[in-house]
PDB file of all heavy atoms in Angstrom:
ATOM      1  N   VAL A 172       7.885 -41.131 -15.787  1.00 98.00           N
ATOM      2  CA  VAL A 172       7.622 -41.367 -14.459  1.00 98.00           C
ATOM      3  C   VAL A 172       7.886 -42.862 -13.967  1.00 98.00           C
ATOM      4  O   VAL A 172       7.288 -43.697 -14.548  1.00 98.00           O
ATOM      5  CB  VAL A 172       6.064 -41.164 -14.155  1.00 98.00           C
ATOM      6  CG1 VAL A 172       5.823 -41.089 -12.578  1.00 98.00           C
ATOM      7  CG2 VAL A 172       5.708 -39.612 -14.676  1.00 98.00           C
ATOM      8  N   GLN A 173       8.627 -42.940 -12.946  1.00 98.00           N
ATOM      9  CA  GLN A 173       8.893 -44.255 -12.307  1.00 98.00           C
ATOM     10  C   GLN A 173       7.942 -44.495 -11.161  1.00 98.00           C
ATOM     11  O   GLN A 173       7.895 -43.687 -10.246  1.00 98.00           O
ATOM     12  CB  GLN A 173      10.346 -44.412 -11.795  1.00 98.00           C
ATOM     13  CG  GLN A 173      10.833 -45.802 -11.308  1.00 98.00           C
ATOM     14  CD  GLN A 173      12.159 -45.844 -10.831  1.00 98.00           C
ATOM     15  OE1 GLN A 173      12.659 -44.836 -10.283  1.00 98.00           O
ATOM     16  NE2 GLN A 173      12.889 -47.047 -11.014  1.00 98.00           N
ATOM     17  N   VAL A 174       7.229 -45.503 -11.221  1.00 97.00           N
ATOM     18  CA  VAL A 174       6.297 -45.843 -10.235  1.00 97.00           C
ATOM     19  C   VAL A 174       6.567 -47.111  -9.536  1.00 97.00           C
ATOM     20  O   VAL A 174       7.432 -47.947  -9.922  1.00 97.00           O
ATOM     21  CB  VAL A 174       4.853 -45.942 -10.850  1.00 97.00           C
ATOM     22  CG1 VAL A 174       4.433 -44.584 -11.499  1.00 97.00           C
ATOM     23  CG2 VAL A 174       4.781 -47.145 -11.902  1.00 97.00           C
ATOM     24  N   ASP A 175       6.048 -47.361  -8.326  1.00 96.00           N
ATOM     25  CA  ASP A 175       6.416 -48.498  -7.479  1.00 96.00           C
ATOM     26  C   ASP A 175       5.673 -49.701  -7.697  1.00 96.00           C
ATOM     27  O   ASP A 175       5.575 -50.480  -6.724  1.00 96.00           O
ATOM     28  CB  ASP A 175       6.261 -48.014  -5.920  1.00 96.00           C
ATOM     29  CG  ASP A 175       4.836 -47.679  -5.586  1.00 96.00           C
ATOM     30  OD1 ASP A 175       3.944 -47.645  -6.434  1.00 96.00           O
ATOM     31  OD2 ASP A 175       4.636 -47.396  -4.405  1.00 96.00           O
ATOM     32  N   ARG A 176       5.158 -49.879  -8.811  1.00 94.00           N
ATOM     33  CA  ARG A 176       4.400 -51.160  -9.166  1.00 94.00           C
ATOM     34  C   ARG A 176       4.428 -51.275 -10.741  1.00 94.00           C
ATOM     35  O   ARG A 176       4.776 -50.280 -11.422  1.00 94.00           O
ATOM     36  CB  ARG A 176       2.991 -51.153  -8.730  1.00 94.00           C
ATOM     37  CG  ARG A 176       2.221 -50.050  -9.162  1.00 94.00           C
ATOM     38  CD  ARG A 176       0.738 -50.114  -8.651  1.00 94.00           C
ATOM     39  NE  ARG A 176       0.010 -50.998  -9.331  1.00 94.00           N
ATOM     40  CZ  ARG A 176      -1.410 -51.086  -9.201  1.00 94.00           C
ATOM     41  NH1 ARG A 176      -2.030 -50.292  -8.351  1.00 94.00           N
ATOM     42  NH2 ARG A 176      -2.109 -51.926  -9.943  1.00 94.00           N
ATOM     43  N   VAL A 177       4.095 -52.389 -11.240  1.00 95.00           N
ATOM     44  CA  VAL A 177       3.925 -52.662 -12.667  1.00 95.00           C
ATOM     45  C   VAL A 177       2.476 -52.515 -13.042  1.00 95.00           C
ATOM     46  O   VAL A 177       1.675 -53.322 -12.659  1.00 95.00           O
ATOM     47  CB  VAL A 177       4.535 -54.053 -13.050  1.00 95.00           C
ATOM     48  CG1 VAL A 177       4.507 -54.137 -14.557  1.00 95.00           C
ATOM     49  CG2 VAL A 177       5.932 -54.203 -12.526  1.00 95.00           C
ATOM     50  N   PRO A 178       2.161 -51.447 -13.750  1.00 94.00           N
ATOM     51  CA  PRO A 178       0.746 -51.172 -14.085  1.00 94.00           C
ATOM     52  C   PRO A 178       0.150 -52.139 -15.120  1.00 94.00           C
ATOM     53  O   PRO A 178       1.023 -52.452 -16.088  1.00 94.00           O
ATOM     54  CB  PRO A 178       0.743 -49.802 -14.383  1.00 94.00           C
ATOM     55  CG  PRO A 178       2.004 -49.514 -15.005  1.00 94.00           C
ATOM     56  CD  PRO A 178       3.018 -50.363 -14.208  1.00 94.00           C
ATOM     57  N   ASP A 179      -0.971 -52.404 -15.109  1.00 94.00           N
ATOM     58  CA  ASP A 179      -1.669 -53.261 -16.193  1.00 94.00           C
ATOM     59  C   ASP A 179      -2.408 -52.244 -17.037  1.00 94.00           C
ATOM     60  O   ASP A 179      -2.465 -51.025 -16.840  1.00 94.00           O
ATOM     61  CB  ASP A 179      -2.542 -54.323 -15.601  1.00 94.00           C
ATOM     62  CG  ASP A 179      -3.650 -53.713 -14.657  1.00 94.00           C
ATOM     63  OD1 ASP A 179      -3.890 -52.557 -14.729  1.00 94.00           O
ATOM     64  OD2 ASP A 179      -4.187 -54.568 -13.794  1.00 94.00           O
ATOM     65  N   GLY A 180      -3.007 -52.799 -18.058  1.00 94.00           N
ATOM     66  CA  GLY A 180      -3.726 -51.951 -19.023  1.00 94.00           C
ATOM     67  C   GLY A 180      -4.975 -51.275 -18.415  1.00 94.00           C
ATOM     68  O   GLY A 180      -5.285 -50.068 -18.791  1.00 94.00           O
ATOM     69  N   ALA A 181      -5.480 -51.843 -17.368  1.00 96.00           N
ATOM     70  CA  ALA A 181      -6.715 -51.296 -16.857  1.00 96.00           C
ATOM     71  C   ALA A 181      -6.336 -49.909 -16.024  1.00 96.00           C
ATOM     72  O   ALA A 181      -7.055 -48.915 -16.150  1.00 96.00           O
ATOM     73  CB  ALA A 181      -7.270 -52.308 -15.728  1.00 96.00           C
ATOM     74  N   LEU A 182      -5.177 -49.949 -15.457  1.00 96.00           N
ATOM     75  CA  LEU A 182      -4.633 -48.797 -14.744  1.00 96.00           C
ATOM     76  C   LEU A 182      -4.317 -47.714 -15.725  1.00 96.00           C
ATOM     77  O   LEU A 182      -4.724 -46.591 -15.481  1.00 96.00           O
ATOM     78  CB  LEU A 182      -3.440 -49.190 -13.924  1.00 96.00           C
ATOM     79  CG  LEU A 182      -2.765 -47.959 -13.199  1.00 96.00           C
ATOM     80  CD1 LEU A 182      -3.822 -47.235 -12.290  1.00 96.00           C
ATOM     81  CD2 LEU A 182      -1.495 -48.351 -12.403  1.00 96.00           C
ATOM     82  N   LEU A 183      -3.681 -48.027 -16.789  1.00 96.00           N
ATOM     83  CA  LEU A 183      -3.277 -47.017 -17.715  1.00 96.00           C
ATOM     84  C   LEU A 183      -4.637 -46.425 -18.394  1.00 96.00           C
ATOM     85  O   LEU A 183      -4.669 -45.129 -18.563  1.00 96.00           O
ATOM     86  CB  LEU A 183      -2.425 -47.585 -18.957  1.00 96.00           C
ATOM     87  CG  LEU A 183      -1.160 -48.226 -18.434  1.00 96.00           C
ATOM     88  CD1 LEU A 183      -0.442 -48.781 -19.653  1.00 96.00           C
ATOM     89  CD2 LEU A 183      -0.313 -47.112 -17.815  1.00 96.00           C
ATOM     90  N   ALA A 184      -5.613 -47.143 -18.604  1.00 97.00           N
ATOM     91  CA  ALA A 184      -6.981 -46.578 -19.160  1.00 97.00           C
ATOM     92  C   ALA A 184      -7.536 -45.705 -18.095  1.00 97.00           C
ATOM     93  O   ALA A 184      -8.130 -44.711 -18.537  1.00 97.00           O
ATOM     94  CB  ALA A 184      -7.764 -47.711 -19.437  1.00 97.00           C
ATOM     95  N   ALA A 185      -7.436 -46.144 -16.736  1.00 96.00           N
ATOM     96  CA  ALA A 185      -8.028 -45.316 -15.728  1.00 96.00           C
ATOM     97  C   ALA A 185      -7.358 -43.977 -15.542  1.00 96.00           C
ATOM     98  O   ALA A 185      -8.005 -43.066 -15.325  1.00 96.00           O
ATOM     99  CB  ALA A 185      -8.059 -46.117 -14.394  1.00 96.00           C
ATOM    100  N   LEU A 186      -6.174 -43.853 -15.868  1.00 96.00           N
ATOM    101  CA  LEU A 186      -5.414 -42.670 -15.741  1.00 96.00           C
ATOM    102  C   LEU A 186      -5.994 -41.717 -16.788  1.00 96.00           C
ATOM    103  O   LEU A 186      -6.020 -40.475 -16.608  1.00 96.00           O
ATOM    104  CB  LEU A 186      -3.867 -42.848 -15.873  1.00 96.00           C
ATOM    105  CG  LEU A 186      -3.221 -43.671 -14.870  1.00 96.00           C
ATOM    106  CD1 LEU A 186      -1.680 -43.822 -15.188  1.00 96.00           C
ATOM    107  CD2 LEU A 186      -3.354 -42.929 -13.454  1.00 96.00           C
ATOM    108  N   THR A 187      -6.306 -42.201 -18.008  1.00 96.00           N
ATOM    109  CA  THR A 187      -6.695 -41.265 -19.087  1.00 96.00           C
ATOM    110  C   THR A 187      -8.202 -41.031 -18.867  1.00 96.00           C
ATOM    111  O   THR A 187      -8.705 -40.009 -19.234  1.00 96.00           O
ATOM    112  CB  THR A 187      -6.520 -41.944 -20.447  1.00 96.00           C
ATOM    113  OG1 THR A 187      -7.035 -43.180 -20.517  1.00 96.00           O
ATOM    114  CG2 THR A 187      -4.987 -42.088 -20.799  1.00 96.00           C
ATOM    115  N   ASP A 188      -8.964 -41.946 -18.236  1.00 95.00           N
ATOM    116  CA  ASP A 188     -10.359 -41.660 -17.969  1.00 95.00           C
ATOM    117  C   ASP A 188     -10.458 -40.618 -16.844  1.00 95.00           C
ATOM    118  O   ASP A 188     -11.369 -39.771 -16.867  1.00 95.00           O
ATOM    119  CB  ASP A 188     -11.109 -42.967 -17.620  1.00 95.00           C
ATOM    120  CG  ASP A 188     -11.231 -43.969 -18.651  1.00 95.00           C
ATOM    121  OD1 ASP A 188     -11.182 -43.484 -19.850  1.00 95.00           O
ATOM    122  OD2 ASP A 188     -11.506 -45.069 -18.444  1.00 95.00           O
ATOM    123  N   GLY A 189      -9.629 -40.684 -15.894  1.00 92.00           N
ATOM    124  CA  GLY A 189      -9.490 -39.696 -14.817  1.00 92.00           C
ATOM    125  C   GLY A 189     -10.370 -40.125 -13.598  1.00 92.00           C
ATOM    126  O   GLY A 189     -11.124 -41.049 -13.771  1.00 92.00           O
ATOM    127  N   THR A 190     -10.160 -39.255 -12.546  1.00 94.00           N
ATOM    128  CA  THR A 190     -10.996 -39.571 -11.396  1.00 94.00           C
ATOM    129  C   THR A 190     -11.107 -38.205 -10.572  1.00 94.00           C
ATOM    130  O   THR A 190     -10.215 -37.342 -10.827  1.00 94.00           O
ATOM    131  CB  THR A 190     -10.444 -40.662 -10.498  1.00 94.00           C
ATOM    132  OG1 THR A 190     -11.344 -41.143  -9.402  1.00 94.00           O
ATOM    133  CG2 THR A 190      -9.125 -40.318  -9.899  1.00 94.00           C
ATOM    134  N   ASP A 191     -11.987 -38.085  -9.643  1.00 93.00           N
ATOM    135  CA  ASP A 191     -12.088 -36.865  -8.817  1.00 93.00           C
ATOM    136  C   ASP A 191     -11.218 -37.079  -7.617  1.00 93.00           C
ATOM    137  O   ASP A 191     -11.197 -38.172  -6.903  1.00 93.00           O
ATOM    138  CB  ASP A 191     -13.556 -36.829  -8.330  1.00 93.00           C
ATOM    139  CG  ASP A 191     -14.488 -36.440  -9.294  1.00 93.00           C
ATOM    140  OD1 ASP A 191     -14.111 -35.796 -10.299  1.00 93.00           O
ATOM    141  OD2 ASP A 191     -15.675 -36.835  -9.246  1.00 93.00           O
ATOM    142  N   VAL A 192     -10.366 -36.079  -7.387  1.00 92.00           N
ATOM    143  CA  VAL A 192      -9.413 -35.999  -6.343  1.00 92.00           C
ATOM    144  C   VAL A 192      -9.510 -34.692  -5.499  1.00 92.00           C
ATOM    145  O   VAL A 192      -9.337 -33.607  -6.179  1.00 92.00           O
ATOM    146  CB  VAL A 192      -7.947 -36.176  -6.874  1.00 92.00           C
ATOM    147  CG1 VAL A 192      -7.018 -36.009  -5.701  1.00 92.00           C
ATOM    148  CG2 VAL A 192      -7.765 -37.424  -7.757  1.00 92.00           C
ATOM    149  N   ASP A 193      -9.981 -34.798  -4.414  1.00 89.00           N
ATOM    150  CA  ASP A 193     -10.354 -33.622  -3.511  1.00 89.00           C
ATOM    151  C   ASP A 193     -11.124 -32.511  -4.311  1.00 89.00           C
ATOM    152  O   ASP A 193     -10.953 -31.325  -4.332  1.00 89.00           O
ATOM    153  CB  ASP A 193      -8.876 -32.847  -3.234  1.00 89.00           C
ATOM    154  CG  ASP A 193      -8.071 -33.779  -2.391  1.00 89.00           C
ATOM    155  OD1 ASP A 193      -8.376 -34.605  -1.587  1.00 89.00           O
ATOM    156  OD2 ASP A 193      -6.727 -33.738  -2.605  1.00 89.00           O
ATOM    157  N   GLY A 194     -12.213 -33.169  -4.814  1.00 89.00           N
ATOM    158  CA  GLY A 194     -13.191 -32.284  -5.616  1.00 89.00           C
ATOM    159  C   GLY A 194     -12.723 -31.790  -6.866  1.00 89.00           C
ATOM    160  O   GLY A 194     -13.442 -30.931  -7.480  1.00 89.00           O
ATOM    161  N   GLU A 195     -11.690 -32.238  -7.459  1.00 90.00           N
ATOM    162  CA  GLU A 195     -11.175 -31.764  -8.673  1.00 90.00           C
ATOM    163  C   GLU A 195     -10.974 -33.049  -9.654  1.00 90.00           C
ATOM    164  O   GLU A 195     -10.511 -33.918  -9.249  1.00 90.00           O
ATOM    165  CB  GLU A 195      -9.745 -31.073  -8.428  1.00 90.00           C
ATOM    166  CG  GLU A 195      -9.232 -30.488  -9.675  1.00 90.00           C
ATOM    167  CD  GLU A 195      -7.832 -29.730  -9.333  1.00 90.00           C
ATOM    168  OE1 GLU A 195      -7.243 -30.076  -8.374  1.00 90.00           O
ATOM    169  OE2 GLU A 195      -7.560 -28.830 -10.209  1.00 90.00           O
ATOM    170  N   ARG A 196     -11.404 -32.800 -10.814  1.00 93.00           N
ATOM    171  CA  ARG A 196     -11.325 -33.937 -11.814  1.00 93.00           C
ATOM    172  C   ARG A 196      -9.966 -33.870 -12.410  1.00 93.00           C
ATOM    173  O   ARG A 196      -9.543 -32.998 -13.100  1.00 93.00           O
ATOM    174  CB  ARG A 196     -12.329 -33.779 -12.907  1.00 93.00           C
ATOM    175  CG  ARG A 196     -12.345 -34.961 -13.913  1.00 93.00           C
ATOM    176  CD  ARG A 196     -13.024 -36.147 -13.247  1.00 93.00           C
ATOM    177  NE  ARG A 196     -13.150 -37.281 -13.987  1.00 93.00           N
ATOM    178  CZ  ARG A 196     -13.681 -38.484 -13.782  1.00 93.00           C
ATOM    179  NH1 ARG A 196     -14.116 -38.618 -12.526  1.00 93.00           N
ATOM    180  NH2 ARG A 196     -13.655 -39.449 -14.627  1.00 93.00           N
ATOM    181  N   LEU A 197      -9.184 -35.043 -12.159  1.00 94.00           N
ATOM    182  CA  LEU A 197      -7.846 -35.153 -12.761  1.00 94.00           C
ATOM    183  C   LEU A 197      -7.715 -36.336 -13.757  1.00 94.00           C
ATOM    184  O   LEU A 197      -8.254 -37.294 -13.515  1.00 94.00           O
ATOM    185  CB  LEU A 197      -6.809 -35.366 -11.565  1.00 94.00           C
ATOM    186  CG  LEU A 197      -6.635 -34.368 -10.514  1.00 94.00           C
ATOM    187  CD1 LEU A 197      -5.599 -34.795  -9.539  1.00 94.00           C
ATOM    188  CD2 LEU A 197      -6.334 -32.989 -11.091  1.00 94.00           C
ATOM    189  N   ALA A 198      -6.975 -36.152 -14.747  1.00 95.00           N
ATOM    190  CA  ALA A 198      -6.922 -37.150 -15.856  1.00 95.00           C
ATOM    191  C   ALA A 198      -5.622 -36.709 -16.613  1.00 95.00           C
ATOM    192  O   ALA A 198      -5.030 -35.592 -16.641  1.00 95.00           O
ATOM    193  CB  ALA A 198      -8.102 -37.124 -16.794  1.00 95.00           C
ATOM    194  N   VAL A 199      -5.026 -37.687 -17.476  1.00 96.00           N
ATOM    195  CA  VAL A 199      -3.894 -37.389 -18.260  1.00 96.00           C
ATOM    196  C   VAL A 199      -4.349 -37.621 -19.665  1.00 96.00           C
ATOM    197  O   VAL A 199      -5.354 -38.156 -19.916  1.00 96.00           O
ATOM    198  CB  VAL A 199      -2.746 -38.369 -17.965  1.00 96.00           C
ATOM    199  CG1 VAL A 199      -2.297 -38.153 -16.424  1.00 96.00           C
ATOM    200  CG2 VAL A 199      -2.980 -39.765 -18.326  1.00 96.00           C
ATOM    201  N   LYS A 200      -3.637 -36.960 -20.574  1.00 96.00           N
ATOM    202  CA  LYS A 200      -3.992 -37.057 -21.989  1.00 96.00           C
ATOM    203  C   LYS A 200      -3.636 -38.352 -22.539  1.00 96.00           C
ATOM    204  O   LYS A 200      -4.290 -39.002 -23.384  1.00 96.00           O
ATOM    205  CB  LYS A 200      -3.160 -36.002 -22.848  1.00 96.00           C
ATOM    206  CG  LYS A 200      -3.533 -36.045 -24.353  1.00 96.00           C
ATOM    207  CD  LYS A 200      -2.835 -34.864 -25.115  1.00 96.00           C
ATOM    208  CE  LYS A 200      -3.246 -34.897 -26.540  1.00 96.00           C
ATOM    209  NZ  LYS A 200      -2.561 -33.760 -27.229  1.00 96.00           N
ATOM    210  N   ALA A 201      -2.455 -39.030 -22.154  1.00 97.00           N
ATOM    211  CA  ALA A 201      -1.909 -40.335 -22.529  1.00 97.00           C
ATOM    212  C   ALA A 201      -1.114 -40.839 -21.524  1.00 97.00           C
ATOM    213  O   ALA A 201      -0.307 -40.151 -20.767  1.00 97.00           O
ATOM    214  CB  ALA A 201      -1.275 -40.217 -23.923  1.00 97.00           C
ATOM    215  N   ALA A 202      -1.169 -42.232 -21.293  1.00 97.00           N
ATOM    216  CA  ALA A 202      -0.291 -42.908 -20.450  1.00 97.00           C
ATOM    217  C   ALA A 202       0.146 -44.239 -21.095  1.00 97.00           C
ATOM    218  O   ALA A 202      -0.744 -45.058 -21.393  1.00 97.00           O
ATOM    219  CB  ALA A 202      -0.932 -43.147 -19.121  1.00 97.00           C
ATOM    220  N   THR A 203       1.424 -44.476 -21.254  1.00 97.00           N
ATOM    221  CA  THR A 203       1.963 -45.742 -21.861  1.00 97.00           C
ATOM    222  C   THR A 203       2.977 -46.293 -20.966  1.00 97.00           C
ATOM    223  O   THR A 203       3.803 -45.637 -20.359  1.00 97.00           O
ATOM    224  CB  THR A 203       2.446 -45.434 -23.333  1.00 97.00           C
ATOM    225  OG1 THR A 203       3.457 -44.415 -23.273  1.00 97.00           O
ATOM    226  CG2 THR A 203       1.267 -45.038 -24.194  1.00 97.00           C
ATOM    227  N   LEU A 204       3.247 -47.622 -21.036  1.00 97.00           N
ATOM    228  CA  LEU A 204       4.289 -48.260 -20.330  1.00 97.00           C
ATOM    229  C   LEU A 204       5.526 -48.197 -21.236  1.00 97.00           C
ATOM    230  O   LEU A 204       5.611 -48.644 -22.418  1.00 97.00           O
ATOM    231  CB  LEU A 204       3.830 -49.728 -20.064  1.00 97.00           C
ATOM    232  CG  LEU A 204       4.842 -50.624 -19.456  1.00 97.00           C
ATOM    233  CD1 LEU A 204       5.177 -50.145 -17.942  1.00 97.00           C
ATOM    234  CD2 LEU A 204       4.466 -52.104 -19.426  1.00 97.00           C
ATOM    235  N   LEU A 205       6.638 -47.760 -20.667  1.00 96.00           N
ATOM    236  CA  LEU A 205       7.918 -47.731 -21.309  1.00 96.00           C
ATOM    237  C   LEU A 205       8.827 -48.993 -21.142  1.00 96.00           C
ATOM    238  O   LEU A 205       9.122 -49.576 -22.041  1.00 96.00           O
ATOM    239  CB  LEU A 205       8.677 -46.461 -20.843  1.00 96.00           C
ATOM    240  CG  LEU A 205       8.309 -45.055 -21.150  1.00 96.00           C
ATOM    241  CD1 LEU A 205       9.093 -43.929 -20.652  1.00 96.00           C
ATOM    242  CD2 LEU A 205       8.237 -44.951 -22.832  1.00 96.00           C
TER     243      LEU A 205
END
Side-chain angles (χ1 to χ4, degrees):
V172 185
Q173 186 183 29
V174 296
D175 63 359
R176 57 181 279 195
V177 179
D179 55 19
L182 175 58
L183 297 178
L186 295 177
T187 57
D188 290 341
T190 189
D191 291 331
V192 180
D193 300 326
E195 186 177 21
R196 188 71 179 180
L197 298 182
V199 305
K200 181 177 180 178
T203 56
L204 179 65
L205 291 174

